[in-house]
Amino acid sequence: FDHSKAHYYRYDEQVSLCLERHGSSLGKEKGKLVLQQKYVRCSVRAEIRHLRRVLCHRINVLDQQQVQILFDNEPLPEHMTMKQLWLLRWYGKPTPMILQYSVKEKRGR
Amino acid sequence: EEEEYDDVLEFEFSDNPLLPCYNIQVSLSQGPRNWLLLTDVLRRLKVSARIFRSSFPHIENANISEAEFYRQASLSQLFTYPENFETRDIDNKETLELVEFTSKLQELLGSSVTYLYSDNEVEIYNELLKD
């Protein structure tokens, strides 16, 4: 069969995540910086930096430095893949894997 | 027809818990693909198999023996057997119907997808942000 595309991400095993907002969202930007669709699925090869990039797009945050992906309140290394994370922190637990994201307020100039 | 992207990272978003997806090779003429169980899809959409097939004829489905399905599915380190499932329950004669996991099916199930073209060597991403 056509091996040339066999390595595509879309044919990878997928992983199911649940992205919860870390800490309570502050009054004024209550609804703005919260991910509406919090159940996420992607390839096991997706890395934290990919997820963060897409999350920033989804919650309309331009400056990626404001957003962090956490596990048990600990920031995750940029180049960690979903599979590494799952095996390290979620092995044997039921799907989805629960992650948090924090959005630092932009300090006014 | 699904646009032929080259290698794009897909992120599916939903406000409902996502149905389990299985990486299975259903025939030797095709590499492993991602599939959902038809029974899961029908329960989520609340339609019968007949209606589903007639409404979505171009969504690929495949049959596989239950034993072969669980043999392949359990190879994954991320796989956990469904609750109160006994491996001795696996019946060799029983076949399962699978539905191919495509952007069409994701949309049908109410998900939106963000595509991220990522060029791993260079830190810049061309974003095909198509929700």
Side-chain angles (χ1 to χ4, degrees):
Chain A
F1 54 81
D2 175 6
H3 289 274
S4 67
K5 296 196 176 102
H7 65 286
Y8 278 11
Y9 288 116
R10 103 164 42 96
Y11 301 128
D12 282 357
E13 183 176 17
Q14 306 288 305
V15 65
S16 279
L17 314 170
C18 177
L19 275 177
E20 303 279 7
R21 172 73 196 254
H22 175 69
S24 64
S25 54
L26 312 175
K28 67 174 180 6
E29 30 89 2
K30 193 151 186 45
K32 197 158 71 76
L33 295 177
V34 177
L35 184 62
Q36 295 314 319
Q37 296 185 302
K38 66 174 187 174
Y39 295 100
V40 184
R41 185 192 331 255
C42 59
S43 157
V44 285
R45 280 189 290 157
E47 295 170 14
I48 293 294
R49 63 193 171 101
H50 297 133
L51 181 61
R52 186 164 71 135
R53 172 112 191 161
V54 171
L55 175 60
C56 284
H57 165 73
R58 282 267 162 166
I59 58 174
N60 303 314
V61 167
L62 295 180
D63 172 9
Q64 280 194 64
Q65 302 316 323
Q66 280 182 258
V67 173
Q68 273 202 320
I69 310 271
L70 312 164
F71 182 87
D72 265 354
N73 307 323
E74 241 184 83
L76 292 163
E78 283 285 277
H79 289 274
M80 177 175 274
T81 66
M82 294 303 134
K83 184 162 189 174
Q84 285 168 321
L85 178 56
W86 188 292
L87 294 178
L88 278 169
R89 312 299 289 267
W90 204 260
Y91 184 73
K93 292 187 195 163
T95 304
M97 175 163 59
I98 298 172
L99 301 179
Q100 296 89 31
Y101 62 96
S102 66
V103 184
K104 280 200 286 304
E105 265 308 296
K106 217 160 172 54
R107 267 168 301 288
R109 267 282 181 274
Chain B
E1 228 312 294
E2 194 184 327
E3 266 157 60
E4 194 41 64
Y5 286 105
D6 45 19
D7 201 2
V8 178
L9 259 172
E10 296 176 20
F11 288 81
E12 175 185 0
F13 288 80
S14 172
D15 27 41
N16 297 314
L18 293 159
L19 293 176
C21 173
Y22 304 92
N23 198 254
I24 303 285
Q25 179 170 15
V26 295
S27 85
L28 292 180
S29 66
Q30 193 189 60
R33 291 277 187 286
N34 287 305
W35 305 84
L36 302 187
L37 285 169
L38 178 63
T39 45
D40 287 347
V41 173
L42 298 179
R43 202 176 312 120
R44 178 64 60 92
L45 295 178
K46 300 188 180 62
V47 293
S48 71
R50 196 177 50 74
I51 291 177
F52 180 81
R53 283 197 200 90
S54 58
S55 325
F56 312 106
H58 40 72
I59 290 190
E60 204 179 321
N61 49 49
N63 288 301
I64 186 169
S65 84
E66 193 174 34
E68 177 58 16
F69 174 81
Y70 281 109
R71 191 190 66 74
Q72 286 194 42
S74 60
L75 290 177
S76 159
Q77 293 155 311
L78 278 61
F79 176 75
T80 46
Y81 277 100
E83 269 144 49
N84 49 49
F85 181 90
E86 294 296 329
T87 42
R88 59 175 161 59
D89 295 345
I90 295 179
D91 171 353
N92 229 320
K93 292 179 286 319
E94 188 73 39
T95 60
L96 296 175
E97 192 160 355
L98 308 179
V99 180
E100 190 174 9
F101 180 64
T102 60
S103 41
K104 176 69 189 150
L105 189 62
Q106 291 168 315
E107 208 183 293
L108 208 57
L109 293 166
S111 300
S112 61
V113 179
T114 295
Y115 298 90
L116 180 61
Y117 175 84
S118 93
D119 174 352
N120 279 328
E121 290 75 34
V122 179
E123 273 304 309
I124 311 160
Y125 300 102
N126 289 337
E127 282 195 314
L128 297 178
L129 296 179
K130 188 188 89 165
D131 296 353

